[in-house]
Amino acid sequence: MTRVSFEFFPPREEKSLATLVDNVAGHLGQNKPEYFSVTYGAGGSTRDGTFETVSKLIGAGFDATPHLSIGADSDETICDLVKRYKDIGVKRIVTLRGDVPSGAGAPRITSNAESLVTLLRKNFDDAFELLVAAYPEVHPDAANANDDLDFFERKVKAGADAAITQYFYNPYAYLDFLERCRARGIDIPVYVGIMPITNFDSIVRFSAKAGADIPRWMLKKLEAMQHDDRAIRDFGIEVCSRLCEDLIQQGVPGFHFYTLNRWGATQRILDNLGL
Ligand code: FAD
């Protein structure tokens, strides 16, 4: 069975949080997701907001999973937060290095997701399922694809149970990544991150930053419809639905939707797939 999960970011205002939990999670929850995950702002900037969103989702009866990154926090601060998550019933954590907050100067790699996985395993044993990020199209910080896979393998050996990919629109990037993982004996489930396209400027800007490729044929079509958000959304739904169909045929274990706190486009993709 293909499982699904949905990603949210923590809203800034109380009212938006209530809408997210009651309306967006309410709608998407009907698809019986594995969980809703909640992102963690670069450098720990949403520590409280992520916690509050996770606890509100749990309070409403949903399974919620926080993202956690190292930022500038000490091991003690991180472990205190994780203990609070354990106390409210969290069973799983998306474990990341995280991005450097904008304005903080050039990116430095002072620590990585591998060290966070190690820290959590050391202090919490098997209390949580630990998910890590995977980059079928290669992380922008990596010198090459092989080095990138070395670092991915280190996260898995440190104790990651499963991975979620950065989004991509070319299924072969994922299939090639999986093949290279399997050749090294890495056999954890790798769930596919799906980014519905709803706005031209945002998808172009975000993809450039994340190192996600928008294939030329797609970019040309998107450019031609860039001032028509409805056309962009329909095209994005069609592309993502076909991508998911291809991957289901290839036996993908599941999809993780980057919902951007909206349910419409994600729901239409799921309806197309009959999931
Ligand atoms: P790592 O796996 O530690 O490293 C990323 C890359 O850096 C590696 O692929 C490797 O090429 C290189 N690298 C790793 N270790 C070393 C080393 N020791 N020396 C040299 N190079 C090294 N960001 C947020 O801020 N908040 C979120 O909630 C969030 N959620 C995400 C969820 C998913 C599913 C994904 C795919 C990404 C998410 N991100 C989030 C973005 C993520 O934080 C960035 O991609 C970040 O730049 C890398 O984080 P990571 O955990 O993959 O890092």
Side-chain angles (χ1 to χ4, degrees), residues 10-219:
R12 288 222 180 93
E13 291 165 13
E14 262 318 299
K15 205 171 140 220
S16 316
L17 177 55
T19 306
L20 182 73
V21 175
D22 298 342
N23 183 1
V24 185
H27 270 101
L28 290 174
Q30 292 171 24
N31 299 289
K32 302 209 179 349
E34 201 71 14
Y35 60 87
F36 291 101
S37 81
V38 184
T39 61
Y40 195 70
S45 54
T46 67
R47 190 181 301 111
D48 296 339
T50 301
F51 186 88
E52 200 191 343
T53 308
V54 166
S55 52
K56 284 262 158 54
L57 284 163
I58 290 178
F62 298 113
D63 191 330
T65 294
H67 294 209
L68 178 67
S69 67
I70 303 173
D73 291 336
S74 66
D75 289 1
E76 199 185 354
T77 306
I78 293 170
C79 289
D80 282 351
L81 175 62
V82 173
K83 170 139 191 343
R84 286 168 66 212
Y85 278 130
K86 196 172 166 207
D87 292 344
I88 61 167
V90 165
K91 296 184 297 230
R92 181 184 313 101
I93 296 176
V94 180
T95 314
L96 304 146
R97 179 191 81 194
D99 281 322
V100 179
S102 54
R108 279 175 302 135
I109 298 174
T110 49
S111 51
N112 50 45
E114 177 198 351
S115 57
L116 187 54
V117 171
T118 304
L119 178 74
L120 298 191
R121 282 289 175 238
K122 188 172 141 221
N123 286 278
F124 297 93
D125 201 13
D126 287 335
F128 300 99
E129 180 188 0
L130 298 182
L131 292 145
V132 291
Y135 301 89
E137 294 181 336
V138 183
H139 189 278
D141 290 348
N144 57 56
N146 207 39
D147 277 13
D148 207 29
L149 197 57
D150 286 346
F151 290 118
F152 181 67
E153 186 170 12
R154 283 165 56 166
K155 290 195 278 197
V156 175
K157 287 201 170 137
D161 297 296
I164 305 170
T165 72
Q166 183 58 278
Y167 68 88
F168 55 85
Y169 296 105
N170 181 347
Y172 297 107
Y174 173 77
L175 298 175
D176 175 71
F177 178 77
L178 264 199
E179 212 172 286
R180 291 187 292 119
C181 284
R182 303 304 181 234
R184 289 180 180 221
I186 305 169
D187 60 0
I188 60 168
V190 181
Y191 301 104
V192 170
I194 297 288
M195 177 71 90
I197 304 169
T198 49
N199 178 279
F200 179 77
D201 290 334
S202 327
I203 195 73
V204 169
R205 197 178 51 242
F206 196 69
S207 300
K209 187 165 167 259
D213 186 45
I214 306 178
R216 182 180 157 82
W217 71 274
M218 278 179 63
L219 191 61

Side-chain angles (χ1 to χ4, degrees), residues 58 76 112 115 127 226 233 248 250 255 261 265:
I58 290 178
E76 199 185 354
N112 50 45
S115 57
Q226 62 179 290
R233 199 178 59 232
I248 289 171
Q250 299 289 337
F255 299 112
N261 290 6

Side-chain angles (χ1 to χ4, degrees), residues 215-258:
R216 182 180 157 82
W217 71 274
M218 278 179 63
L219 191 61
K220 290 288 163 195
K221 282 188 92 162
L222 288 166
E223 261 167 14
M225 53 178 86
Q226 62 179 290
H227 301 299
D228 183 347
D229 277 353
R230 176 181 286 216
I232 296 251
R233 199 178 59 232
D234 288 348
F235 175 64
I237 287 165
E238 189 191 320
V239 167
C240 289
S241 302
R242 282 207 211 140
L243 174 67
C244 293
E245 272 167 17
D246 281 358
L247 291 169
I248 289 171
Q249 283 184 7
Q250 299 289 337
V252 69
F255 299 112
H256 178 80
F257 286 88
Y258 299 109

